């Protein structure tokens, strides 16, 4: 791709390509009824209940609320329970992702790498596949990339209250997917190594003021409504126990077995359900610490496996396995130039390490690795650009 191309034209072209591919896949997805095959999370039904289309549940804080709020806002504007406007919004968010990748790449690498990464994200099968799902991934990825564009811009700037606003946006990302909640702790360690303890402390303190504000507001709302402290969601204990195994068959059985256990024990409070399974997991760890370590290490490898599980058929798993292997190989090659002392790439590596750690303990799925896909593509584009430069140099 010509590095001299006007960035605005480049962004418009790649955005248009990404939008066309996502709209096309949305049409295919809906025509084949694939929504019924892959299912959807509770967010959509919660939004319908908030709008009065469904009865209000006894407890609506089981999931982080922001994606539900987005759905409710869109459906409220159109005054219809039809999910199509939400899916069209997700196509736009998915297309916007490629522009954000280009901008992040231009800050971290060079224009050639940035534009190659944007084009790659436009056609990436994983990012396209999740666009028509009524799940929070597509919105979360766009929000997270915008956060990282701001974070990298502030990396070497004088400290200011802009970090509070950036932290507030990061806190909204947490209310979209609570898995991001502990990221500032690892970011602090990276900043400490790169810029010294004083700046790392002040940087993360300012960021933290904004970061905590959305969760504090949601926690206050839950306490006012339910009389309970629920910072983001009640699923932590459930997700911890559900995925704390390396046996795929056990993972398949766990949801039904856990649901039956909840009914047998008469647990109706979602907070109590989460606490029950968190305590049950900790009992397993205390009974067999070495076995627990093996599970955590094994889940880290499973998090980075190149192929998905069912309901994908064998040829889909094989094709995706090849694709992700290529992405990983090029990303490793591109990673060589990202470890310079003080480099803002440290923020990206902190995210990669952080999500790997989290999903080595909690439920592991390739779906949960999806937020890292744009960053992996950016690294892979850096690797591909390095190979192209080496080839051009040999020819010269």
């Amino acid at each position: 791709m010509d590095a001299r191309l006007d960035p605005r034209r480049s962004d418009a072209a790649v955005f248009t390509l990404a939008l066309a591919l996502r709209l096309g896949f949305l049409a295919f997805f809906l025509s084949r009824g694939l929504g019924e095959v892959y299912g959807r999370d509770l967010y959509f039904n919660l939004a319908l209940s908030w709008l009065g289309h469904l009865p209000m549940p006894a407890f609506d804080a089981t999931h982080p609320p922001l994606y539900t709020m987005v759905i409710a806002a869109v459906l409220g504007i159109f005054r219809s329970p039809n999910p199509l406007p939400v899916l069209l919004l997700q196509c736009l968010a998915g297309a916007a992702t490629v522009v954000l990748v280009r901008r992040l790449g231009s800050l971290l690498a060079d224009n050639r790498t940035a534009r190659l990464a944007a084009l790659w994200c436009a056609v990436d099968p994983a990012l396209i596949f999740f666009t028509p799902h009524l799940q929070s991934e597509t919105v979360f990825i766009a929000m997270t990339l915008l956060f990282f564009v701001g974070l990298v811009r502030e990396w070497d700037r004088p400290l200011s209250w802009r970090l509070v606003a950036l932290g507030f946006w990061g806190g909204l990302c947490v209310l979209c997917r609570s898995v991001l909640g502990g990221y500032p702790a690892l970011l602090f360690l990276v900043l400490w190594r790169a810029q010294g303890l004083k700046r790392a402390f002040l940087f993360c303190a300012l960021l933290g003021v904004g970061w905590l504000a959305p969760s504090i507001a949601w926690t206050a709302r839950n306490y006012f409504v339910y009389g309970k402290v629920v910072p983001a969601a009640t699923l932590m204990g459930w997700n911890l126990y559900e995925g704390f195994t390396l046996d795929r068959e056990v993972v398949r059985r766990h949801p039904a077995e856990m649901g039956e256990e909840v009914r047998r024990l008469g647990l109706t409070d979602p907070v109590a359900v989460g606490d029950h399974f968190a305590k049950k997991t900790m009992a397993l760890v205390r009974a067999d610490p070495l076995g627990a370590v093996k599970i955590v290490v094994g889940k880290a490898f499973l998090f980075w496996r190149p192929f998905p599980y069912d309901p994908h058929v064998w040829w889909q798993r094989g094709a995706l396995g090849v694709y992700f292997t290529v992405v990983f190989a090029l990303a490793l090659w591109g990673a060589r130039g990202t470890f310079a002392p003080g480099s803002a790439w440290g923020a990206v590596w902190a995210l990669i390490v952080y999500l790997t750690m989290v999903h080595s303990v909690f439920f592991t799925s390739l779906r949960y690795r999806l937020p890292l896909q744009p960053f992996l593509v950016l690294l892979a584009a850096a690797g591909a650009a390095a190979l192209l430069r080496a080839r051009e140099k040999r020819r010269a």
Side-chain angles (χ1 to χ4, degrees):
M1 188 177 293
D2 190 346
R4 296 167 297 180
L5 185 64
D6 184 344
R8 289 174 296 181
R9 292 184 179 180
S10 173
D11 286 348
V14 77
F15 176 89
T16 301
L17 173 62
L19 183 59
L21 290 173
R22 282 152 179 77
L23 289 172
F25 185 68
L26 171 61
F28 172 81
F29 192 89
L30 295 177
S31 68
R32 296 298 181 92
L34 294 179
E36 300 301 322
V37 175
Y38 292 99
R40 67 190 187 199
D41 289 338
L42 188 61
Y43 302 104
F44 189 75
N45 285 348
L46 282 175
L48 290 179
S49 69
W50 285 359
L51 295 171
H53 297 293
L54 291 176
M56 279 293 294
F59 189 84
D60 69 350
T62 55
H63 289 60
L66 191 133
Y67 182 56
T68 304
M69 293 175 182
V70 170
I71 296 173
V74 173
L75 297 184
I77 291 171
F78 286 89
R79 299 181 180 274
S80 169
N82 189 327
L84 184 59
V86 178
L87 298 175
L88 292 175
L89 173 65
Q90 291 186 184
C91 289
L92 289 170
T97 292
V98 303
V99 178
L100 293 170
V101 167
R102 201 277 302 166
R103 292 184 179 178
L104 182 62
S106 67
L107 294 169
L108 290 172
D110 54 76
N111 288 335
R112 186 179 196 178
T113 297
R115 287 170 178 155
L116 178 58
L119 178 60
W120 194 329
C121 281
V123 301
D124 181 83
L127 295 174
I128 292 173
F129 175 76
F130 275 95
T131 302
H133 291 248
L134 284 168
Q135 296 167 337
S136 60
E137 272 73 18
T138 299
V139 172
F140 177 69
I141 289 170
M143 292 180 66
T144 302
L145 281 169
L146 184 57
F147 170 77
F148 269 84
V149 169
L151 179 62
V152 172
R153 283 177 175 167
E154 295 298 320
W155 192 258
D156 292 319
R157 285 181 176 177
L159 299 175
S160 75
W161 288 102
R162 288 190 303 267
L163 285 170
V164 177
L166 179 64
F168 184 81
W169 184 257
L172 292 179
C173 293
V174 173
L175 288 192
C176 190
R177 288 192 70 86
S178 56
V179 68
L180 197 62
Y183 171 71
L186 214 58
L187 177 65
F188 170 77
L189 296 178
V190 171
L191 278 164
W192 185 359
R193 178 178 179 273
Q195 302 177 3
L197 178 60
K198 181 179 179 180
R199 179 174 168 86
F201 177 81
L202 293 174
F203 190 106
C204 288
L206 290 169
L207 193 76
V209 171
W211 188 275
L212 293 173
S215 291
I216 289 173
W218 179 245
T219 302
R221 176 266 185 190
N222 290 335
Y223 188 81
F224 178 78
V225 174
Y226 299 112
K228 300 172 184 176
V229 175
V230 184
T234 62
L235 292 175
M236 183 180 296
W238 180 285
N239 286 342
L240 180 64
Y241 184 77
E242 181 185 10
F244 204 73
T245 177
L246 298 178
D247 190 325
R248 178 62 183 164
E249 291 302 319
V250 173
V251 172
R252 289 190 179 97
R253 296 197 310 266
H254 258 173
E257 293 175 350
M258 292 166 70
E260 177 58 33
E261 182 174 342
V262 167
R263 288 187 289 272
R264 187 175 66 252
L265 295 174
L267 297 175
T268 57
D269 182 350
V271 176
V273 171
D275 289 344
H276 169 74
F277 286 113
K279 292 175 182 177
K280 193 169 181 178
T281 306
M282 295 309 300
L284 292 176
V285 173
R286 288 192 294 268
D288 186 7
L290 181 59
V293 171
K294 290 179 179 178
I295 288 174
V296 170
V297 173
K299 281 163 62 67
F301 283 101
L302 288 177
F303 184 67
W304 286 103
R305 71 184 188 276
F307 54 88
Y309 289 136
D310 52 86
H312 303 283
V313 298
W314 68 269
W315 66 265
Q316 292 171 329
R317 295 197 297 269
L320 287 172
V322 171
Y323 173 72
F324 283 122
T325 299
V326 171
V327 172
F328 293 165
L330 286 173
L332 287 172
W333 190 256
R336 298 175 308 149
T338 65
F339 297 112
S343 170
W345 274 105
V348 174
W349 285 111
L351 179 68
I352 292 172
V353 172
Y354 170 72
L355 288 183
T356 301
M357 292 169 58
V358 168
H359 289 295
S360 296
V361 178
F362 293 93
F363 194 88
T364 300
S365 168
L366 260 62
R367 170 189 168 190
Y368 298 141
R369 199 181 69 210
L370 192 70
L372 294 178
Q373 189 64 12
F375 301 96
L376 295 175
V377 167
L378 183 55
L379 285 167
L387 292 174
L388 288 172
R389 283 192 296 269
R391 182 181 178 185
E392 292 167 356
K393 187 175 181 180
R394 286 195 301 269
R395 285 185 173 181

